Amino acid sequence: MKVKTDKEDSEKNRSSDHTCLSFKFPSVPFPDNSSSKHGISENGFASDTFSAGSPRSRHKLTMLVLKLSLVLIVVLALTGSFLWTISITTSSRGQIFHSHGYRRLYEQLVSDLWDIGELSLGPARLKEVEFCPLEYENHVPCFNVSESLALGYSDGEEYNRRCGHGLRQNCLVPPPGNYRIPLRWPTGRDIIWVANVKITAQEVLSSGSLTKRMMMLEEEQISFRSASLMFDGVEDYSHQIAEMIGLRNESNFIQAGVRTMLDIGCGYGSFGAHLFSKEILTMCIASYEASGSQVQLTLERGLPAMIGSFTSKQMPYPYLSFDMVHCARCGIDWDQKDGILLIEVDRVLRPGGYFVWTSPLTNAQRFLRNKEMQKRWNFVRNFAENLCWEMLSQQDETAVWKKTSKKSCYASRKPGSGPSICSKRHDGESPYYRPLEACIGGTQSSRWIPIKARTTWPSRAKLNSSELQIYDLRSEEFAEDTQHWNLAIRNYWSLLSPLIFSDHPKRPGDEDPSPPFNMLRNVLDMNAHLGGFNSALLEAGKSVWVMNVVPTIGHNYLPLILDRGFVGVLHDWCEPFPTYPRTYDMVHAAGLLSLESSQQRRCTMLDLFTEIDRLLRPEGWVILRDTVSLIDSARMLITRLKWDARVVEIESNSNERLLVCQKPFFKRQTN
């Protein structure tokens, strides 16, 4: 009877243990001889009954019961410990300081729990993302000129971006072997490290645009200077343009209503670099170049730039976006394609804005001796007149036109003498992958306001109630957004220190860390909304510029952002951003994870984070703000990217959290 009772108890214990051990915990190892002798199954539990009666069988049965009991005790202990730590975490949240927001970081226990939770998921879930092959150092996805040529694209269309929608191979783009952290602004504007960009000495010497020759190649650095073989310098050139407009000098651009400028084919950004000191914000846009890229070098200097061409597609800006469009030997034949490229310039130019073109084609003495040049020049001049542009002046190789601010001009043209007015159906503010239009846009928009009628910078950033009505916004909503971001920026900035990842993190309100920390110049806001983050940075006196990105799946506030005097672009974040690796010092995203998760997207959170890693410079920062659940998911995923990360509680009763991350600088061994 005793043997029978032990056998029944053993059967009950085995049944109970099968139930308890159904979670993903390691099975208990058993000796190989017991497995072969008594039929131990793969999960470590016996499948055959033991024979009763012998002492040896009773001894083995007793040992098995003891082992299974030990496993059960371990499981119960781990379960109880896990529930206890969760209750501690939940109850401790109300004790975290929240005055002035962001007053303390999560307790170290929370960080430890993340590590424990991630370890319990097993090695498959913890696998780190691998580094890309070395040829990806300066690779830009969606641009493949040789493949486009093989598909039959030509006439400039081979430089257009073409993004496939298949599964991505996620990897981390490595920095070049001799990569160095850029110099602090404004020194970094004039001196960059050669190893950080892909350019050869021959490309520097053979470049021929206005600003490409304004640089000097040294052993490890490229220094930019104002002297030029073609002009006395950028300062004299910009002074000449101001005089042609009727201004005393370029310092009066702001008073004339010029705040934002689109520089097509910008060379290496020297024109925009000079105007930045005059509070003119210049966005450089140029075609993709595998080497010697204008966009890459301009961004390395800490100046706004992005890859883009409009040989067949509209630029990713709404109509009436810029106060001036500039082209100095930009390589575009404006007389080709029946003038449709000039129509695209007109589309993004505000009423009363200026188009500046510097080219040998505008040199009167040259085209008088060349009939072909004269024919091309006459086409551009006549077409500009039919667009209701007024030629203000022509000097040397530079011509300046002014777009009309009166809609009546279009009706006064001779019938059939120029492009027609776009219908409302074609007059949209979301030109993402849209083909070029051969009609004049923006005339039916409530945003048709001459640049001189707008408030001058910096007052332009603060829209009044009548201006806000154009965007269906109330003054209270705009004021609340402004107040929110002004407070957030003060707290954000104090978190951007490696001390945040130590046991004694720096508290908000302390002095900012000394150099080389807080080296921020290029900032990317992935979900810009009203541009409040950009505005708050400028209000705080931070010497940064912000690329305000408006996701194509959200509400399009890009016209408002551009009208405030900032720069920005539309973009689908399930596609790579049109720029080179290591572009930005900080990436900010508030509510983007919620926006993306609300859609049936074709991309994953890992796709998004590996793209952020590609855009971010070594030692760059990421600030994500979103719901607790999404921040928790992001925190677990970020361990695979090798970033340092901390979760920061905003307020004890808030459903939002901050995730502050820093990308380490992994130095690659050079051969």
Side-chain angles (χ1 to χ4, degrees), residues 318-330:
Y319 51 73
L320 315 179
S321 296
F322 296 95
D323 305 315
M324 180 181 287
V325 176
H326 174 257
C327 163
R329 298 197 174 186
C330 58

Side-chain angles (χ1 to χ4, degrees), residues 484-485 492 525-528 588-593 623-626:
H484 163 76
W485 286 113
Y492 277 8
D525 192 357
M526 299 178 71
N527 187 23
H588 174 258
L592 179 66
L593 302 181
I623 297 180
L624 301 176
R625 177 174 181 147
D626 227 298

Side-chain angles (χ1 to χ4, degrees), residues 465-478:
S465 57
S466 60
E467 291 171 327
L468 290 171
Q469 288 178 0
I470 299 175
Y471 316 99
D472 293 328
L473 280 174
R474 294 177 289 106
S475 300
E476 298 80 9
E477 184 180 356
F478 186 76

Side-chain angles (χ1 to χ4, degrees), residues 377-562:
W377 166 249
N378 288 337
F379 177 89
V380 172
R381 186 175 57 182
N382 293 334
F383 198 88
E385 184 178 348
N386 290 330
L387 287 172
C388 284
W389 293 2
E390 176 190 0
M391 177 176 276
L392 298 182
S393 181
Q394 180 183 1
Q395 294 181 18
D396 301 324
E397 294 188 347
T398 302
V400 178
W401 286 271
K402 181 179 181 180
K403 178 178 176 176
T404 185
S405 55
K406 298 178 180 178
K407 299 179 185 179
S408 58
C409 174
Y410 301 110
S412 64
R413 297 176 301 171
K414 295 179 181 179
S417 61
S420 60
I421 303 299
C422 291
S423 64
K424 221 163 190 181
R425 182 173 62 88
H426 293 88
D427 211 359
E429 290 188 332
S430 300
Y432 198 68
Y433 283 118
R434 285 187 57 174
L436 292 172
E437 297 281 358
C439 56
I440 298 174
T443 59
Q444 304 178 59
S445 171
S446 54
R447 295 176 51 239
W448 182 281
I449 303 173
I451 61 173
K452 287 189 177 181
R454 295 178 180 270
T455 53
T456 57
W457 179 262
S459 299
R460 183 187 287 192
K462 304 176 181 67
L463 302 177
N464 57 42
S465 57
S466 60
E467 291 171 327
L468 290 171
Q469 288 178 0
I470 299 175
Y471 316 99
D472 293 328
L473 280 174
R474 294 177 289 106
S475 300
E476 298 80 9
E477 184 180 356
F478 186 76
E480 182 181 350
D481 183 78
T482 301
Q483 182 180 6
H484 163 76
W485 286 113
N486 285 342
L487 175 62
I489 286 299
R490 289 198 292 272
N491 294 309
Y492 277 8
W493 207 263
S494 61
L495 295 173
L496 303 181
S497 162
L499 295 176
I500 190 176
F501 302 119
S502 70
D503 293 334
H504 302 285
K506 175 181 175 295
R507 295 294 187 265
D510 295 350
E511 293 183 2
D512 287 341
S514 57
F517 307 130
N518 283 358
M519 289 181 54
L520 299 184
R521 173 61 187 164
N522 299 354
V523 177
L524 175 68
D525 192 357
M526 299 178 71
N527 187 23
H529 195 51
L530 305 181
F533 181 67
N534 190 161
S535 178
L537 283 170
L538 298 181
E539 285 282 338
K542 307 303 181 184
S543 183
V544 301
W545 69 271
V546 180
M547 175 67 84
N548 295 283
V549 179
V550 175
T552 55
I553 60 174
H555 191 89
N556 185 11
Y557 281 115
L558 185 57
L560 179 147
I561 291 171
L562 294 169

Side-chain angles (χ1 to χ4, degrees), residues 310-311 332-347 355 376 378-387 389 417-420 436-440:
F310 52 103
T311 53
I332 295 177
D333 297 324
W334 299 106
D335 58 309
Q336 302 299 310
K337 299 187 177 183
D338 298 323
I340 198 170
L341 301 181
L342 287 171
I343 297 176
E344 175 66 1
V345 171
D346 182 87
R347 186 184 70 82
F355 176 56
R376 296 179 61 189
N378 288 337
F379 177 89
V380 172
R381 186 175 57 182
N382 293 334
F383 198 88
E385 184 178 348
N386 290 330
L387 287 172
W389 293 2
S417 61
S420 60
L436 292 172
E437 297 281 358
C439 56
I440 298 174

